Amino acid sequence: MLQNDEQALLKVLECYVLHCIGCLDDNRRAMLEEFADGLRKAFPHPGDWYEIISAQFGFTDEMTKDINKLWHEHKGEMSAQEFAEAFGERFFRFDEDEQQPPPNVTDITLLARRREAIKELQRSKSVEAKERKQRTEAYLSEIDVPVNEALPVIPDSTVATLRSPTEIAYRLICLLATAAHGEEFDSVATYSFIERYGAKEYLTPKERAFISQKTKPSTPEEENAAFEFIWRYESCWALLWALGYIPELTLPTHVCDIPLVAKVIKKRTFAELLADARPKQFTEVLDEADLIYRLHWALVDARLEDKEAPADLASSVVYERRYALNWLISYMNEDWDNVPMDT
């Protein structure tokens, strides 16, 4: 049962963290001891519940020490339960294809702060944000996409900050360069394109590392990493829309027109890219950000329930569009490499 029930396993993982930091109450400890037989059946590891979970997830004694150390450094910022929940949420944060690796414990404080920011949005939701959420949910019902009314609102125009056209244009250059590099691995051509637009200083650390690679992938892991950058064409599409080069963002059911993305950018100098832009209104960007957030939740929920994607949504297209839109509205004030994608 546990292998098919992430929510149950998440609760066990939270108890594991509470045990590590000395905050597991007697009632939950007794429950876990009774639950040990079920854990042994689910996972082929001997020992008590703590030893089984440690073995199953590869939690070493060193990691346990790190968790405990981090808790003592930051316990004034959150409760023990919030700390445990943040660890569990980070561990089970999914992309559209597979579970990400176990968390680096240094992520936990940041994630806990994000959770608190979301709670604060819920407590002080504005009329603008509430009405936007209601419009989106009504539209999703019309196209037969599941709605989760418990999802929070997104920041409204008084809280969010729209990136400037200049920021967007430089991000476009970097995304196009790295996406193309993922296909050709021609570092000379990649750097030449970036220098043409004076965008070198706008590359993120991950992008700099990637375009330094001069040979095509030779392992499945390297191929997957390259595909992550190639999919950034979809982020480019969303940013081009924000600058007014794409008339509308249709339902994300298919990949974008990659040749058009390249054409729009490459035929212009940087100054022309800005001069020809007709940026969308902030409210339009927020509307799209709200929509893609709820579409992303519907896709993740369908996958977890082993159902087909609703409305023929394309998971990677949804993911990349949401990534770009979250960056556009400065969601949680994170840089490009760390855009939150919580669902």
Side-chain angles (χ1 to χ4, degrees):
M1 178 185 71
L2 280 172
Q3 290 171 319
N4 296 318
D5 189 348
E6 286 167 7
Q7 290 302 315
L9 192 53
L10 180 57
K11 294 302 180 184
V12 174
L13 186 57
E14 289 172 6
C15 290
Y16 176 93
V17 175
L18 290 170
H19 174 83
C20 288
I21 64 177
C23 296
L24 182 63
D25 62 75
D26 291 339
N27 289 337
R28 278 191 281 189
R29 187 183 302 279
M31 177 196 72
L32 286 164
E33 289 172 354
E34 293 178 2
F35 203 33
D37 287 339
L39 286 170
R40 293 188 193 95
K41 293 177 181 178
F43 306 121
H45 304 295
D48 60 20
W49 71 270
Y50 179 82
E51 293 168 324
I52 295 170
I53 294 299
S54 297
Q56 177 63 24
F57 294 109
F59 293 158
T60 63
D61 290 341
E62 190 64 30
M63 186 172 183
T64 300
K65 292 177 183 177
D66 286 342
I67 292 173
N68 195 53
K69 179 182 178 181
L70 187 67
W71 162 242
H72 283 285
E73 288 175 352
H74 299 283
K75 62 182 180 180
E77 302 173 23
M78 68 195 84
S79 69
Q81 183 61 39
E82 288 172 333
F83 180 82
E85 289 175 359
F87 185 96
E89 182 179 336
R90 174 60 182 84
F91 191 91
F92 283 105
R93 181 184 295 172
F94 285 86
D95 60 24
E96 293 304 321
D97 299 312
E98 59 184 9
Q99 184 179 336
Q100 294 183 357
N104 179 331
V105 293
T106 57
D107 295 344
I108 303 305
T109 300
L110 177 59
L111 185 58
R113 288 170 181 164
R114 288 177 181 169
R115 287 165 58 89
E116 184 56 36
I118 292 172
K119 291 178 182 178
E120 183 62 28
L121 279 172
Q122 282 296 80
R123 288 193 290 266
S124 60
K125 65 175 75 170
S126 69
V127 173
E128 175 195 334
K130 182 178 180 180
E131 290 181 347
R132 176 173 289 112
K133 178 177 184 285
Q134 291 172 341
R135 287 196 303 271
T136 300
E137 291 174 342
Y139 171 67
L140 293 178
S141 296
E142 290 176 5
I143 61 174
D144 294 324
V145 172
V147 170
N148 180 358
E149 295 182 358
L151 285 182
V153 299
I154 67 168
D156 66 14
S157 58
T158 68
V159 176
T161 302
L162 183 63
R163 304 279 180 175
S164 70
T166 300
E167 286 181 280
I168 298 170
Y170 276 123
R171 183 93 303 267
L172 267 170
I173 301 304
C174 295
L175 290 174
L176 179 59
T178 51
H181 188 75
E183 296 179 297
E184 301 298 333
F185 284 88
D186 186 341
S187 292
V188 174
T190 301
Y191 277 113
S192 176
F193 174 76
I194 291 169
E195 289 171 1
R196 172 189 165 191
Y197 290 93
K200 185 176 180 180
E201 65 181 284
Y202 295 93
L203 290 165
T204 70
K206 289 182 181 179
E207 289 169 340
R208 290 176 185 274
F210 180 64
I211 64 176
S212 69
Q213 298 177 29
K214 300 179 180 180
T215 57
K216 292 191 174 183
S218 58
T219 67
E221 291 77 14
E222 290 176 347
E223 289 179 353
N224 288 337
F227 277 126
E228 287 182 11
F229 283 96
I230 293 172
W231 272 110
R232 293 308 194 199
Y233 283 119
E234 295 297 335
S235 294
C236 286
W237 189 258
L239 297 188
L240 282 175
W241 168 82
L243 289 180
Y245 285 103
I246 306 299
E248 65 175 333
L249 288 177
T250 57
L251 205 63
T253 58
H254 56 276
V255 297
C256 68
D257 187 338
I258 294 175
L260 179 59
V261 170
K263 180 180 178 181
V264 167
I265 297 173
K266 289 183 176 180
K267 70 183 290 187
R268 292 174 169 84
T269 64
F270 189 80
E272 290 170 338
L273 191 61
L274 288 177
D276 294 343
R278 298 294 182 268
K280 299 294 184 182
Q281 295 294 315
F282 195 8
T283 53
E284 295 179 87
V285 178
L286 288 169
D287 287 347
E288 289 293 343
D290 192 79
L291 172 61
I292 203 68
Y293 170 40
R294 301 180 201 288
L295 289 175
H296 189 203
W297 174 86
L299 269 175
V300 172
D301 184 66
R303 181 172 58 78
L304 293 177
E305 296 294 331
D306 199 24
K307 297 178 181 178
E308 292 186 3
D312 294 324
L313 295 172
S315 61
S316 292
V317 177
V318 169
Y319 185 92
E320 295 299 331
R321 185 180 296 183
R322 185 178 175 218
Y323 200 99
L325 287 164
N326 274 1
W327 178 82
L328 274 170
I329 64 172
S330 306
Y331 185 56
M332 299 293 176
N333 296 312
E334 295 285 3
D335 59 25
W336 181 264
D337 278 348
N338 299 293
V339 174
M341 293 290 285
D342 46 88
T343 54

